[in-house]
Amino acid sequence: MVLPMLKPAIGALAIFTFMLSWNDYFSQLVITRSTDMMTLPLGIATMQGEYKTDYGVMMAGAALASVPMIIIFMLFQKSFTQGITMGSIK
């Protein structure tokens, strides 16, 4: 009885947890020394040079980094819609 009502909350928690681990910047900056172990946002930040920045490459990397978040949102979109409608009906 409780689990169907918590489905939208579990979906939101899954999206926030995935987003937190996907966009992990600071701990990866401190912990990793190898470029093979960097997360995508940290890899994009390292593309910035001291005197020159290729903004086209950085924007392409940012677009690629946002694709998994869009896919995860599309998968859990139905549960968000159900949560909104369940909260509005009394």
Side-chain angles (χ1 to χ4, degrees):
M1 181 172 155
V2 174
L3 191 60
M5 293 176 67
L6 289 178
K7 190 177 177 183
I10 292 171
L13 180 66
I15 286 178
F16 289 139
T17 304
F18 177 76
M19 192 168 56
L20 179 70
S21 63
W22 184 258
N23 291 330
D24 190 17
Y25 182 81
F26 185 69
S27 67
Q28 291 296 320
L29 181 65
V30 172
I31 294 171
T32 62
R33 294 176 190 240
S34 171
T35 57
D36 296 334
M37 301 284 290
M38 289 183 181
T39 58
L40 217 52
L42 186 59
I44 292 169
T46 59
M47 288 183 198
Q48 185 175 1
E50 187 174 348
Y51 299 111
K52 181 183 173 191
T53 302
D54 190 6
Y55 291 108
V57 174
M58 287 182 73
M59 288 304 291
L64 282 174
S66 66
V67 168
M69 285 307 306
I70 293 169
I71 290 171
I72 292 295
F73 178 76
M74 294 299 242
L75 290 174
F76 288 103
Q77 183 179 7
K78 185 177 179 182
S79 66
F80 277 129
T81 308
Q82 287 177 351
I84 291 170
T85 57
M86 283 177 118
S88 65
I89 298 173
K90 290 190 175 191

Coordinates of all heavy atoms in Angstrom, one line a residue:
M1 N 0.8 -1.2 0.0 CA 0.0 0.0 0.0 C 0.9 1.3 0.0 O 0.5 2.2 -0.7 CB -0.9 0.0 1.2 CG -1.8 1.2 1.3 SD -2.9 0.9 2.7 CE -3.4 2.5 3.0
V2 N 2.0 1.2 0.7 CA 2.8 2.4 0.9 C 3.7 2.6 -0.4 O 4.0 3.7 -0.8 CB 3.6 2.4 2.2 CG1 4.6 3.5 2.3 CG2 2.7 2.3 3.4
L3 N 4.2 1.5 -0.9 CA 5.2 1.5 -2.0 C 4.7 2.2 -3.2 O 5.4 3.0 -3.8 CB 5.8 0.1 -2.3 CG 7.0 0.1 -3.2 CD1 8.1 0.9 -2.6 CD2 7.4 -1.3 -3.4
P4 N 3.4 1.9 -3.7 CA 2.9 2.6 -4.8 C 2.8 4.1 -4.6 O 3.0 4.9 -5.5 CB 1.5 2.0 -5.1 CG 1.6 0.7 -4.5 CD 2.5 0.8 -3.3
M5 N 2.6 4.5 -3.4 CA 2.5 6.0 -3.1 C 3.9 6.6 -3.1 O 4.0 7.8 -3.3 CB 1.7 6.2 -1.8 CG 0.3 5.8 -1.9 SD -0.6 6.0 -0.3 CE -0.5 7.8 -0.2
L6 N 4.9 5.8 -2.8 CA 6.2 6.3 -2.7 C 7.0 6.3 -4.0 O 8.1 6.7 -4.1 CB 7.0 5.6 -1.6 CG 6.6 5.9 -0.2 CD1 7.5 5.0 0.8 CD2 6.8 7.3 0.2
K7 N 6.4 5.7 -5.0 CA 7.1 5.5 -6.3 C 7.6 6.9 -6.9 O 8.7 6.9 -7.3 CB 6.1 4.8 -7.3 CG 6.8 4.4 -8.6 CD 5.8 3.6 -9.4 CE 6.5 3.3 -10.7 NZ 5.5 2.6 -11.6
P8 N 6.8 8.0 -6.9 CA 7.4 9.2 -7.4 C 8.5 9.7 -6.5 O 9.5 10.3 -7.0 CB 6.2 10.2 -7.3 CG 5.0 9.3 -7.3 CD 5.4 8.1 -6.6
A9 N 8.5 9.5 -5.2 CA 9.6 10.0 -4.3 C 10.8 9.2 -4.6 O 11.9 9.7 -4.6 CB 9.1 9.9 -2.9
I10 N 10.7 7.9 -4.8 CA 11.8 7.0 -5.1 C 12.4 7.4 -6.5 O 13.6 7.4 -6.6 CB 11.4 5.5 -5.1 CG1 11.1 5.1 -3.6 CG2 12.5 4.6 -5.6 CD1 10.4 3.8 -3.5
G11 N 11.6 7.7 -7.4 CA 12.1 8.2 -8.7 C 12.8 9.5 -8.6 O 13.9 9.7 -9.2
A12 N 12.3 10.4 -7.8 CA 13.1 11.7 -7.6 C 14.4 11.4 -6.9 O 15.4 12.0 -7.2 CB 12.2 12.6 -6.8
L13 N 14.4 10.6 -5.9 CA 15.6 10.2 -5.2 C 16.6 9.6 -6.1 O 17.8 9.9 -6.0 CB 15.3 9.3 -4.0 CG 16.5 8.9 -3.2 CD1 17.1 10.1 -2.4 CD2 16.1 7.8 -2.2
A14 N 16.1 8.7 -7.0 CA 17.0 8.1 -8.0 C 17.7 9.1 -8.9 O 18.9 9.1 -9.2 CB 16.3 7.0 -8.8
I15 N 16.9 10.1 -9.4 CA 17.4 11.1 -10.3 C 18.4 12.0 -9.5 O 19.5 12.3 -10.0 CB 16.3 12.0 -10.8 CG1 15.5 11.1 -11.9 CG2 16.8 13.2 -11.5 CD1 14.4 11.8 -12.5
F16 N 18.1 12.4 -8.3 CA 19.0 13.2 -7.5 C 20.3 12.5 -7.2 O 21.4 13.1 -7.2 CB 18.4 13.8 -6.3 CG 17.3 14.8 -6.6 CD1 16.1 14.8 -5.9 CD2 17.5 15.8 -7.6 CE1 15.1 15.7 -6.1 CE2 16.5 16.7 -7.8 CZ 15.3 16.7 -7.1
T17 N 20.2 11.2 -6.8 CA 21.4 10.4 -6.5 C 22.3 10.3 -7.8 O 23.5 10.4 -7.7 CB 21.0 9.1 -6.0 OG1 20.2 9.3 -4.8 CG2 22.2 8.3 -5.6
F18 N 21.7 10.0 -8.9 CA 22.4 9.8 -10.1 C 23.1 11.2 -10.5 O 24.3 11.2 -10.9 CB 21.5 9.3 -11.3 CG 22.2 9.2 -12.6 CD1 23.1 8.2 -12.8 CD2 22.0 10.2 -13.6 CE1 23.7 8.1 -14.0 CE2 22.7 10.1 -14.8 CZ 23.5 9.0 -15.0
M19 N 22.4 12.2 -10.4 CA 22.9 13.6 -10.7 C 24.1 13.9 -9.8 O 25.0 14.5 -10.2 CB 21.8 14.6 -10.6 CG 22.2 15.9 -11.3 SD 20.8 17.1 -11.5 CE 20.1 17.2 -9.9
L20 N 24.0 13.6 -8.5 CA 25.0 13.9 -7.6 C 26.3 13.1 -7.9 O 27.4 13.7 -8.0 CB 24.6 13.5 -6.2 CG 25.6 13.8 -5.1 CD1 25.8 15.3 -4.9 CD2 25.2 13.1 -3.8
S21 N 26.2 11.9 -8.3 CA 27.4 11.1 -8.6 C 27.9 11.5 -10.0 O 29.1 11.4 -10.3 CB 27.1 9.6 -8.5 OG 26.1 9.2 -9.4
W22 N 27.0 11.8 -10.9 CA 27.4 12.2 -12.3 C 28.2 13.5 -12.3 O 29.2 13.6 -13.0 CB 26.2 12.2 -13.2 CG 26.6 12.5 -14.6 CD1 26.5 13.7 -15.3 CD2 27.1 11.5 -15.6 NE1 26.9 13.5 -16.6 CE2 27.2 12.2 -16.8 CE3 27.4 10.2 -15.5 CZ2 27.7 11.6 -17.9 CZ3 27.8 9.5 -16.6 CH2 28.0 10.2 -17.8
N23 N 27.7 14.4 -11.5 CA 28.3 15.8 -11.6 C 29.4 16.0 -10.5 O 29.7 17.1 -10.1 CB 27.3 16.8 -11.4 CG 26.4 16.9 -12.6 OD1 26.8 16.7 -13.7 ND2 25.1 17.3 -12.4
D24 N 29.9 14.9 -9.9 CA 30.8 15.0 -8.8 C 32.1 15.6 -9.3 O 32.8 15.1 -10.2 CB 31.2 13.6 -8.3 CG 32.0 13.6 -7.0 OD1 32.0 14.7 -6.4 OD2 32.6 12.6 -6.7
Y25 N 32.4 16.8 -8.8 CA 33.5 17.6 -9.3 C 34.6 17.7 -8.2 O 35.8 17.3 -8.5 CB 33.1 19.0 -9.6 CG 34.1 19.9 -10.2 CD1 34.5 19.8 -11.5 CD2 34.8 20.8 -9.4 CE1 35.5 20.6 -12.0 CE2 35.8 21.6 -9.9 CZ 36.2 21.5 -11.2 OH 37.2 22.3 -11.7
F26 N 34.3 18.1 -7.0 CA 35.3 18.5 -6.1 C 36.1 17.2 -5.5 O 37.3 17.2 -5.5 CB 34.7 19.3 -4.9 CG 35.8 19.7 -3.9 CD1 36.7 20.7 -4.3 CD2 35.9 19.2 -2.7 CE1 37.6 21.1 -3.4 CE2 36.8 19.6 -1.8 CZ 37.7 20.6 -2.1
S27 N 35.3 16.2 -5.2 CA 36.0 15.0 -4.6 C 36.9 14.3 -5.7 O 38.0 13.8 -5.4 CB 35.0 14.0 -4.0 OG 34.2 13.5 -5.0
Q28 N 36.4 14.4 -6.9 CA 37.3 13.8 -8.0 C 38.5 14.6 -8.2 O 39.6 14.1 -8.6 CB 36.5 13.6 -9.3 CG 35.4 12.6 -9.2 CD 36.0 11.2 -9.0 OE1 37.0 10.8 -9.6 NE2 35.3 10.4 -8.1
L29 N 38.4 15.9 -8.1 CA 39.5 16.8 -8.2 C 40.5 16.6 -7.2 O 41.7 16.6 -7.4 CB 39.0 18.3 -8.2 CG 40.1 19.4 -8.4 CD1 40.6 19.3 -9.8 CD2 39.4 20.7 -8.1
V30 N 40.1 16.3 -5.9 CA 41.0 16.1 -4.8 C 41.6 14.7 -4.9 O 42.8 14.5 -4.7 CB 40.3 16.3 -3.5 CG1 41.2 15.9 -2.3 CG2 39.9 17.8 -3.4
I31 N 40.8 13.7 -5.2 CA 41.2 12.3 -5.0 C 42.0 11.8 -6.2 O 43.1 11.1 -6.1 CB 40.0 11.4 -4.8 CG1 39.3 11.7 -3.5 CG2 40.3 9.9 -4.9 CD1 38.0 11.1 -3.2
T32 N 41.6 12.0 -7.5 CA 42.2 11.4 -8.6 C 43.4 12.2 -9.1 O 43.3 13.5 -9.1 CB 41.2 11.2 -9.8 OG1 40.7 12.5 -10.2 CG2 40.1 10.3 -9.4
R33 N 44.3 11.5 -9.6 CA 45.5 12.2 -10.3 C 45.5 11.8 -11.7 O 46.1 12.5 -12.5 CB 46.8 11.8 -9.6 CG 46.9 12.3 -8.2 CD 48.1 11.8 -7.5 NE 48.0 12.1 -6.1 CZ 48.9 12.9 -5.5 NH1 49.9 13.4 -6.1 NH2 48.8 13.1 -4.2
S34 N 44.9 10.7 -12.1 CA 44.9 10.2 -13.5 C 43.8 10.8 -14.3 O 42.7 11.0 -13.8 CB 44.8 8.7 -13.4 OG 44.6 8.2 -14.7
T35 N 44.1 11.1 -15.5 CA 43.0 11.6 -16.4 C 42.0 10.6 -16.8 O 40.9 10.9 -17.2 CB 43.6 12.3 -17.6 OG1 44.4 11.3 -18.3 CG2 44.4 13.5 -17.3
D36 N 42.4 9.3 -16.6 CA 41.5 8.2 -17.0 C 40.4 8.0 -15.9 O 39.3 7.4 -16.2 CB 42.3 6.9 -17.1 CG 43.3 6.9 -18.2 OD1 43.1 7.7 -19.2 OD2 44.3 6.2 -18.1
M37 N 40.6 8.5 -14.7 CA 39.6 8.3 -13.6 C 38.7 9.5 -13.4 O 37.9 9.5 -12.5 CB 40.4 8.0 -12.3 CG 41.3 6.8 -12.4 SD 40.3 5.3 -12.3 CE 39.8 5.3 -10.6
M38 N 38.9 10.6 -14.2 CA 38.1 11.8 -14.0 C 36.7 11.6 -14.5 O 36.4 10.9 -15.4 CB 38.7 13.0 -14.8 CG 40.0 13.5 -14.3 SD 40.5 14.8 -15.3 CE 42.1 15.2 -14.5
T39 N 35.8 12.3 -13.8 CA 34.4 12.4 -14.2 C 34.3 13.4 -15.4 O 35.2 14.1 -15.7 CB 33.5 12.8 -13.1 OG1 33.9 14.1 -12.6 CG2 33.5 11.9 -12.0
L40 N 33.2 13.3 -16.1 CA 33.0 14.2 -17.3 C 33.1 15.7 -17.0 O 33.7 16.4 -17.7 CB 31.7 13.8 -18.0 CG 31.7 13.8 -19.5 CD1 32.8 13.0 -20.1 CD2 30.3 13.3 -20.0
P41 N 32.4 16.2 -16.0 CA 32.5 17.6 -15.7 C 34.0 18.1 -15.4 O 34.4 19.1 -15.8 CB 31.6 17.9 -14.5 CG 30.6 16.8 -14.6 CD 31.4 15.6 -15.1
L42 N 34.7 17.2 -14.7 CA 36.1 17.5 -14.4 C 37.0 17.5 -15.7 O 37.8 18.3 -15.9 CB 36.7 16.6 -13.3 CG 38.1 16.9 -12.8 CD1 38.1 18.2 -12.2 CD2 38.5 15.8 -11.8
G43 N 36.7 16.5 -16.5 CA 37.4 16.5 -17.8 C 37.1 17.7 -18.7 O 38.0 18.2 -19.4
I44 N 35.9 18.2 -18.7 CA 35.5 19.4 -19.4 C 36.3 20.6 -18.8 O 36.8 21.5 -19.6 CB 34.0 19.6 -19.4 CG1 33.3 18.5 -20.2 CG2 33.7 21.0 -20.0 CD1 31.8 18.5 -20.1
A45 N 36.4 20.7 -17.5 CA 37.1 21.8 -16.9 C 38.6 21.8 -17.2 O 39.2 22.8 -17.2 CB 36.8 21.7 -15.4
T46 N 39.1 20.6 -17.4 CA 40.6 20.6 -17.7 C 40.9 20.9 -19.1 O 42.0 21.1 -19.5 CB 41.1 19.1 -17.4 OG1 40.5 18.2 -18.2 CG2 41.0 18.8 -16.0
M47 N 39.9 21.1 -20.0 CA 40.1 21.5 -21.3 C 40.4 23.0 -21.4 O 40.8 23.5 -22.5 CB 38.9 21.2 -22.2 CG 38.6 19.8 -22.5 SD 37.2 19.6 -23.5 CE 36.8 17.9 -23.3
Q48 N 40.1 23.7 -20.4 CA 40.4 25.1 -20.4 C 41.9 25.4 -20.2 O 42.5 24.9 -19.3 CB 39.6 25.8 -19.2 CG 39.8 27.3 -19.3 CD 38.9 27.9 -18.2 OE1 38.2 27.2 -17.4 NE2 38.9 29.2 -18.1
G49 N 42.5 26.1 -21.2 CA 43.9 26.4 -21.2 C 44.2 27.6 -20.4 O 43.3 28.4 -19.9
E50 N 45.5 27.9 -20.2 CA 45.9 29.1 -19.4 C 45.7 30.3 -20.3 O 45.3 31.4 -19.8 CB 47.3 28.9 -19.0 CG 47.8 30.0 -18.1 CD 49.2 29.8 -17.6 OE1 49.7 28.7 -17.8 OE2 49.8 30.7 -17.0
Y51 N 46.0 30.3 -21.5 CA 45.9 31.5 -22.4 C 44.8 31.3 -23.5 O 44.5 32.3 -24.1 CB 47.3 31.7 -23.1 CG 48.4 32.0 -22.1 CD1 49.4 31.0 -21.9 CD2 48.4 33.1 -21.3 CE1 50.4 31.3 -21.0 CE2 49.4 33.3 -20.4 CZ 50.4 32.4 -20.2 OH 51.4 32.6 -19.3
K52 N 44.4 30.1 -23.7 CA 43.4 29.9 -24.8 C 42.4 28.9 -24.4 O 42.8 27.9 -23.8 CB 44.2 29.5 -26.1 CG 43.3 29.3 -27.3 CD 44.1 28.8 -28.5 CE 43.1 28.4 -29.6 NZ 43.8 27.7 -30.6
T53 N 41.2 29.1 -24.7 CA 40.1 28.1 -24.4 C 39.3 27.9 -25.7 O 38.9 28.8 -26.4 CB 39.2 28.7 -23.4 OG1 39.9 29.0 -22.2 CG2 38.1 27.7 -23.0
D54 N 39.2 26.6 -26.0 CA 38.4 26.2 -27.2 C 37.0 26.0 -26.8 O 36.6 24.9 -26.3 CB 39.0 24.9 -27.9 CG 38.4 24.6 -29.2 OD1 37.6 25.5 -29.7 OD2 38.7 23.6 -29.8
Y55 N 36.1 27.0 -26.9 CA 34.8 26.9 -26.4 C 33.9 26.0 -27.2 O 33.0 25.4 -26.6 CB 34.1 28.3 -26.4 CG 34.8 29.2 -25.4 CD1 35.6 30.3 -25.7 CD2 34.5 29.0 -24.0 CE1 36.1 31.1 -24.8 CE2 35.1 29.9 -23.0 CZ 35.9 30.9 -23.4 OH 36.4 31.7 -22.5
G56 N 34.2 25.7 -28.4 CA 33.4 24.8 -29.2 C 33.6 23.4 -28.6 O 32.6 22.6 -28.5
V57 N 34.8 23.0 -28.3 CA 35.0 21.6 -27.7 C 34.4 21.5 -26.3 O 33.8 20.5 -26.0 CB 36.5 21.3 -27.7 CG1 36.8 20.0 -27.0 CG2 37.1 21.3 -29.1
M58 N 34.5 22.6 -25.6 CA 33.9 22.6 -24.2 C 32.4 22.5 -24.3 O 31.8 21.8 -23.5 CB 34.3 23.8 -23.4 CG 35.8 23.8 -23.0 SD 36.2 25.2 -22.0 CE 35.4 24.8 -20.5
M59 N 31.8 23.2 -25.2 CA 30.3 23.1 -25.3 C 29.9 21.7 -25.9 O 28.8 21.2 -25.5 CB 29.8 24.2 -26.3 CG 29.9 25.6 -25.6 SD 29.0 25.7 -24.0 CE 27.3 25.6 -24.6
A60 N 30.7 21.1 -26.8 CA 30.3 19.8 -27.2 C 30.4 18.8 -26.1 O 29.6 17.9 -26.0 CB 31.3 19.4 -28.4
G61 N 31.4 18.9 -25.2 CA 31.5 18.1 -24.1 C 30.4 18.3 -23.1 O 29.9 17.3 -22.5
A62 N 30.0 19.5 -22.9 CA 28.9 19.8 -22.0 C 27.6 19.2 -22.6 O 26.7 18.7 -21.8 CB 28.7 21.3 -21.8
A63 N 27.4 19.3 -23.9 CA 26.2 18.7 -24.5 C 26.2 17.1 -24.3 O 25.2 16.5 -24.0 CB 26.1 19.0 -26.0
L64 N 27.4 16.5 -24.5 CA 27.5 15.1 -24.3 C 27.3 14.7 -22.8 O 26.7 13.7 -22.5 CB 28.8 14.6 -24.8 CG 29.0 14.4 -26.3 CD1 30.4 14.0 -26.6 CD2 28.0 13.4 -26.8
A65 N 27.7 15.6 -21.9 CA 27.6 15.3 -20.5 C 26.1 15.4 -20.1 O 25.7 14.7 -19.1 CB 28.4 16.2 -19.7
S66 N 25.3 16.2 -20.7 CA 23.9 16.3 -20.4 C 23.0 15.2 -20.9 O 21.9 15.0 -20.4 CB 23.4 17.7 -20.8 OG 23.3 17.7 -22.2
V67 N 23.5 14.4 -21.9 CA 22.6 13.4 -22.5 C 22.2 12.3 -21.5 O 21.0 12.0 -21.5 CB 23.4 12.8 -23.7 CG1 22.7 11.5 -24.2 CG2 23.5 13.8 -24.9
P68 N 23.1 11.8 -20.7 CA 22.6 10.8 -19.7 C 21.6 11.3 -18.7 O 20.6 10.6 -18.3 CB 23.9 10.3 -18.9 CG 25.0 10.6 -19.9 CD 24.5 11.8 -20.6
M69 N 21.7 12.6 -18.3 CA 20.7 13.2 -17.4 C 19.4 13.3 -18.1 O 18.3 13.1 -17.5 CB 21.2 14.6 -16.9 CG 22.3 14.5 -15.9 SD 21.9 13.5 -14.5 CE 20.4 14.1 -13.9
I70 N 19.3 13.7 -19.3 CA 18.1 13.8 -20.1 C 17.4 12.4 -20.2 O 16.2 12.2 -20.1 CB 18.3 14.4 -21.5 CG1 18.8 15.9 -21.3 CG2 17.1 14.3 -22.4 CD1 19.3 16.5 -22.5
I71 N 18.2 11.4 -20.5 CA 17.7 10.0 -20.6 C 17.1 9.5 -19.3 O 16.0 9.0 -19.3 CB 18.8 9.0 -21.1 CG1 19.1 9.4 -22.6 CG2 18.4 7.6 -21.0 CD1 20.3 8.6 -23.1
I72 N 17.8 9.8 -18.2 CA 17.3 9.4 -16.9 C 16.0 10.1 -16.5 O 15.0 9.5 -16.0 CB 18.4 9.6 -15.8 CG1 19.5 8.7 -15.9 CG2 17.8 9.5 -14.4 CD1 19.2 7.2 -15.7
F73 N 15.9 11.4 -16.9 CA 14.7 12.2 -16.6 C 13.6 11.6 -17.5 O 12.4 11.5 -17.0 CB 14.9 13.6 -16.9 CG 13.7 14.4 -16.8 CD1 13.2 14.7 -15.5 CD2 12.9 14.9 -17.8 CE1 12.0 15.5 -15.3 CE2 11.7 15.6 -17.7 CZ 11.3 15.9 -16.4
M74 N 13.8 11.3 -18.7 CA 12.8 10.7 -19.6 C 12.3 9.4 -19.1 O 11.1 9.1 -19.2 CB 13.3 10.5 -21.0 CG 13.6 11.8 -21.7 SD 12.2 12.9 -21.8 CE 12.1 13.0 -23.6
L75 N 13.1 8.6 -18.5 CA 12.7 7.3 -17.9 C 11.8 7.5 -16.7 O 10.9 6.7 -16.5 CB 13.9 6.5 -17.5 CG 14.8 5.9 -18.7 CD1 16.0 5.2 -18.2 CD2 13.9 5.0 -19.5
F76 N 12.1 8.5 -15.8 CA 11.3 8.7 -14.6 C 10.3 9.8 -14.7 O 9.7 10.2 -13.8 CB 12.3 9.0 -13.5 CG 13.1 7.9 -13.0 CD1 14.4 7.7 -13.3 CD2 12.5 6.9 -12.2 CE1 15.1 6.6 -12.9 CE2 13.2 5.8 -11.8 CZ 14.5 5.7 -12.1
Q77 N 10.0 10.3 -15.9 CA 9.1 11.4 -16.1 C 7.7 11.0 -15.8 O 6.9 11.7 -15.2 CB 9.1 11.9 -17.6 CG 8.2 13.0 -17.9 CD 8.3 13.5 -19.3 OE1 9.0 12.8 -20.1 NE2 7.7 14.6 -19.7
K78 N 7.3 9.7 -16.1 CA 6.0 9.2 -15.8 C 5.7 9.2 -14.3 O 4.6 9.6 -13.8 CB 5.8 7.8 -16.4 CG 4.4 7.3 -16.2 CD 4.3 6.0 -16.9 CE 2.9 5.4 -16.7 NZ 2.7 4.1 -17.2
S79 N 6.7 8.8 -13.5 CA 6.5 8.8 -12.0 C 6.4 10.2 -11.5 O 5.6 10.5 -10.5 CB 7.6 8.1 -11.4 OG 8.8 8.7 -11.5
F80 N 7.1 11.2 -12.1 CA 6.9 12.6 -11.6 C 5.5 13.1 -11.9 O 4.9 13.8 -11.1 CB 7.9 13.5 -12.3 CG 9.2 13.5 -11.7 CD1 10.4 13.3 -12.4 CD2 9.4 13.8 -10.3 CE1 11.6 13.4 -11.8 CE2 10.6 13.8 -9.7 CZ 11.7 13.6 -10.5
T81 N 5.0 12.8 -13.1 CA 3.6 13.2 -13.5 C 2.6 12.6 -12.5 O 1.6 13.2 -12.1 CB 3.3 12.8 -14.9 OG1 4.3 13.3 -15.7 CG2 2.0 13.4 -15.4
Q82 N 2.8 11.3 -12.2 CA 1.9 10.6 -11.3 C 2.0 11.3 -9.9 O 0.9 11.4 -9.2 CB 2.2 9.1 -11.2 CG 1.8 8.3 -12.4 CD 2.2 6.9 -12.3 OE1 3.0 6.5 -11.4 NE2 1.8 6.1 -13.2
G83 N 3.1 11.6 -9.4 CA 3.3 12.3 -8.1 C 2.6 13.6 -8.1 O 2.0 14.0 -7.1
I84 N 2.7 14.4 -9.2 CA 2.0 15.7 -9.2 C 0.5 15.5 -9.1 O -0.2 16.2 -8.4 CB 2.4 16.5 -10.4 CG1 3.9 16.9 -10.3 CG2 1.5 17.7 -10.6 CD1 4.5 17.4 -11.6
T85 N -0.1 14.5 -9.9 CA -1.5 14.3 -9.9 C -2.0 13.7 -8.6 O -3.1 14.0 -8.2 CB -1.9 13.4 -11.1 OG1 -1.2 12.2 -11.0 CG2 -1.7 14.1 -12.4
M86 N -1.2 12.8 -8.0 CA -1.6 12.3 -6.7 C -1.6 13.3 -5.6 O -2.5 13.3 -4.7 CB -0.6 11.2 -6.3 CG -0.8 9.9 -7.0 SD 0.5 8.7 -6.4 CE -0.5 7.5 -5.7
G87 N -0.7 14.3 -5.6 CA -0.7 15.3 -4.6 C -1.8 16.3 -4.8 O -2.2 17.0 -3.8
S88 N -2.4 16.4 -6.0 CA -3.4 17.5 -6.2 C -4.8 16.9 -5.9 O -5.7 17.7 -5.7 CB -3.3 18.0 -7.6 OG -3.6 16.9 -8.5
I89 N -5.0 15.6 -5.9 CA -6.3 15.0 -5.7 C -6.5 14.8 -4.2 O -5.7 14.1 -3.6 CB -6.5 13.7 -6.5 CG1 -6.4 14.0 -8.0 CG2 -7.8 13.1 -6.2 CD1 -6.3 12.7 -8.8
K90 N -7.6 15.2 -3.6 CA -7.8 15.0 -2.2 C -9.1 14.2 -2.0 O -10.0 14.2 -2.7 CB -8.0 16.3 -1.5 CG -6.6 17.0 -1.4 CD -6.8 18.1 -0.4 CE -5.4 18.7 -0.2 NZ -5.3 19.7 0.8

